[in-house]
Amino acid sequence: MTLNIIDRHKLILKKLNADGFVNVTDLSDDFNVSLVTIRKDLKLLEEKKLLFRSHGKAIPVNPYITENPVKIKEKINASEKNRIAKAAVKTLVPHDSIIIASGTSVIEFARRIKPLEGLTVLTASLNIALILSKIKEVDVMQLGGMVRPSSASVIGPIGEKMLTEFTFTKLFLGVDGIDLDYGLTTTNLMEASLNKEMIKSSQKIIVLADSSKFNKKGFGRICELSEVDQIITDSGIDKKTKQRLLELGVELTIV
């Protein structure tokens, strides 16, 4: 018996919730209806903002990110960022020389850094430089460049050239999106370029990202997931994403 449109929509959303995506061809076979009918179903559901259509399939939400100012981003998933920051601090050891990039997750991390023997920090973030400058046991270096008002951080070739003069033990990187196939992204192309140079200058790449960042894409691509050593995230990460990251050899810390 052919399902009516209401029943099809219910089953499509149920499958989407269970699997994380639905395929147009599979749905056509499952419901014994034409591809045209399924595309119309998905279009209607997208208009109701219940899914996002993409290349012969549909996913739960729009994966493409728009940029928000730091003051707004700080309020999003604040408790998760707090737990992530606590875990990140535990990775520090005496005489570490680290890079802290920009973003609200790494700002929270900087707020939790305590006096530590021989710790040197280079940062793109003006806010982080100010926070850590109050700890006399920490040597702070501000990366040079053009200041982005939305993030109060620097970008551009001056900072990129400066990074070639140093080697760091760890990079603590905040991102706007993590896509299992596309990799790490940010909303700004010049910031992505600077992040690439940070990666080249660092021995270990640690990404601080709450679970809402997964299955999202920003405009600027930073790197593939194979270049990442560790991701610290919260328990909202789904099982499939967790399994895929482990298969890729990424150390996963869930808080």
Side-chain angles (χ1 to χ4, degrees), residues 183-222:
L184 306 183
T185 56
T186 181
T187 54
N188 184 275
L189 188 61
M190 291 183 72
E191 183 177 359
S193 181
L194 183 65
N195 290 159
K196 288 176 183 177
E197 294 303 317
M198 290 178 175
I199 289 171
K200 290 178 185 178
S201 299
S202 305
Q203 296 174 23
K204 184 174 184 178
I205 314 306
I206 302 174
V207 176
L208 310 187
D210 67 79
S211 58
S212 71
K213 302 294 178 67
F214 290 98
N215 304 311
K216 299 284 182 67
K217 290 181 183 179
F219 178 69
R221 187 170 184 264
I222 301 170

Side-chain angles (χ1 to χ4, degrees), residues 79-88 232-236 253-255:
S79 62
E80 287 84 355
K81 291 173 183 175
N82 190 305
R83 298 198 303 273
I84 290 166
K86 288 180 180 179
I232 304 177
T233 189
D234 61 83
S235 57
T253 302
I254 299 175
V255 297

Side-chain angles (χ1 to χ4, degrees), residues 29 35 41 47 63 79 85 87 116 128 139 141 178 202 216 224:
D29 291 340
L35 295 173
D41 286 341
E47 289 172 353
S79 62
L116 184 65
I128 289 173
D139 293 328
M141 302 169 62
I178 303 176
S202 305
K216 299 284 182 67
E224 295 180 1

Side-chain angles (χ1 to χ4, degrees), residues 178 207 209 214 225 228-233 245 250-253:
I178 303 176
V207 176
F214 290 98
L225 280 167
V228 175
D229 296 291
Q230 181 179 4
I231 295 177
I232 304 177
T233 189
L245 289 171
V250 178
E251 180 183 349
L252 197 57
T253 302

Side-chain angles (χ1 to χ4, degrees), residues 234-248:
D234 61 83
S235 57
I237 184 173
D238 64 81
K239 291 181 180 179
K240 289 188 177 181
T241 300
K242 178 181 175 181
Q243 183 60 38
R244 180 72 183 279
L245 289 171
L246 294 174
E247 289 172 357
L248 290 169

Side-chain angles (χ1 to χ4, degrees), residues 7-241:
D7 289 336
R8 285 201 310 273
H9 286 189
K10 285 180 180 179
L11 288 173
I12 288 169
L13 294 174
K14 183 178 179 180
K15 185 174 178 61
L16 185 65
N17 183 59
D19 297 343
F21 74 97
V22 289
N23 182 282
V24 172
T25 304
D26 291 343
L27 291 175
S28 174
D29 291 340
D30 291 344
F31 299 153
N32 194 28
V33 295
S34 69
L35 295 173
V36 173
T37 297
I38 292 299
R39 291 192 182 101
K40 287 180 179 179
D41 286 341
L42 297 181
K43 183 179 179 182
L44 288 170
L45 290 169
E46 184 178 48
E47 289 172 353
K48 295 178 181 178
K49 301 188 184 303
L50 295 173
L51 52 75
F52 181 83
R53 292 183 297 157
S54 174
H55 305 298
K57 66 179 182 180
I59 54 180
V61 294
N62 187 339
Y64 299 100
I65 308 157
T66 55
E67 184 176 19
N68 289 313
V70 168
K71 288 184 179 180
I72 293 176
K73 291 169 73 175
E74 279 184 325
K75 298 175 182 178
I76 301 172
N77 299 323
S79 62
E80 287 84 355
K81 291 173 183 175
N82 190 305
R83 298 198 303 273
I84 290 166
K86 288 180 180 179
V89 168
K90 293 178 182 179
T91 69
L92 296 175
V93 297
H95 304 289
D96 255 341
S97 56
I98 69 172
I99 303 176
I100 304 179
S102 61
T104 53
S105 292
V106 292
I107 288 175
E108 188 61 33
F109 163 60
R111 290 191 180 114
R112 296 191 167 276
I113 292 177
K114 304 296 182 184
L116 184 65
E117 182 183 358
L119 178 62
T120 299
V121 178
L122 179 130
T123 184
S125 167
L126 303 182
N127 291 326
I128 289 173
L130 289 171
I131 290 166
L132 295 179
S133 66
K134 297 173 184 178
I135 306 175
K136 62 181 181 179
E137 293 87 351
V138 178
D139 293 328
V140 182
M141 302 169 62
Q142 173 65 61
L143 200 62
M146 182 173 68
V147 177
R148 289 180 63 208
S150 63
S151 63
S153 64
V154 299
I155 52 175
I158 295 173
E160 291 177 20
K161 185 175 181 180
M162 186 175 171
L163 284 163
T164 64
E165 301 297 321
F166 305 99
T167 299
F168 298 88
T169 56
K170 300 180 180 82
L171 163 63
F172 292 89
L173 183 63
V175 298
D176 291 316
I178 303 176
D179 183 271
L180 293 174
D181 298 315
Y182 195 64
L184 306 183
T185 56
T186 181
T187 54
N188 184 275
L189 188 61
M190 291 183 72
E191 183 177 359
S193 181
L194 183 65
N195 290 159
K196 288 176 183 177
E197 294 303 317
M198 290 178 175
I199 289 171
K200 290 178 185 178
S201 299
S202 305
Q203 296 174 23
K204 184 174 184 178
I205 314 306
I206 302 174
V207 176
L208 310 187
D210 67 79
S211 58
S212 71
K213 302 294 178 67
F214 290 98
N215 304 311
K216 299 284 182 67
K217 290 181 183 179
F219 178 69
R221 187 170 184 264
I222 301 170
C223 69
E224 295 180 1
L225 280 167
S226 60
E227 296 183 58
V228 175
D229 296 291
Q230 181 179 4
I231 295 177
I232 304 177
T233 189
D234 61 83
S235 57
I237 184 173
D238 64 81
K239 291 181 180 179
K240 289 188 177 181
T241 300

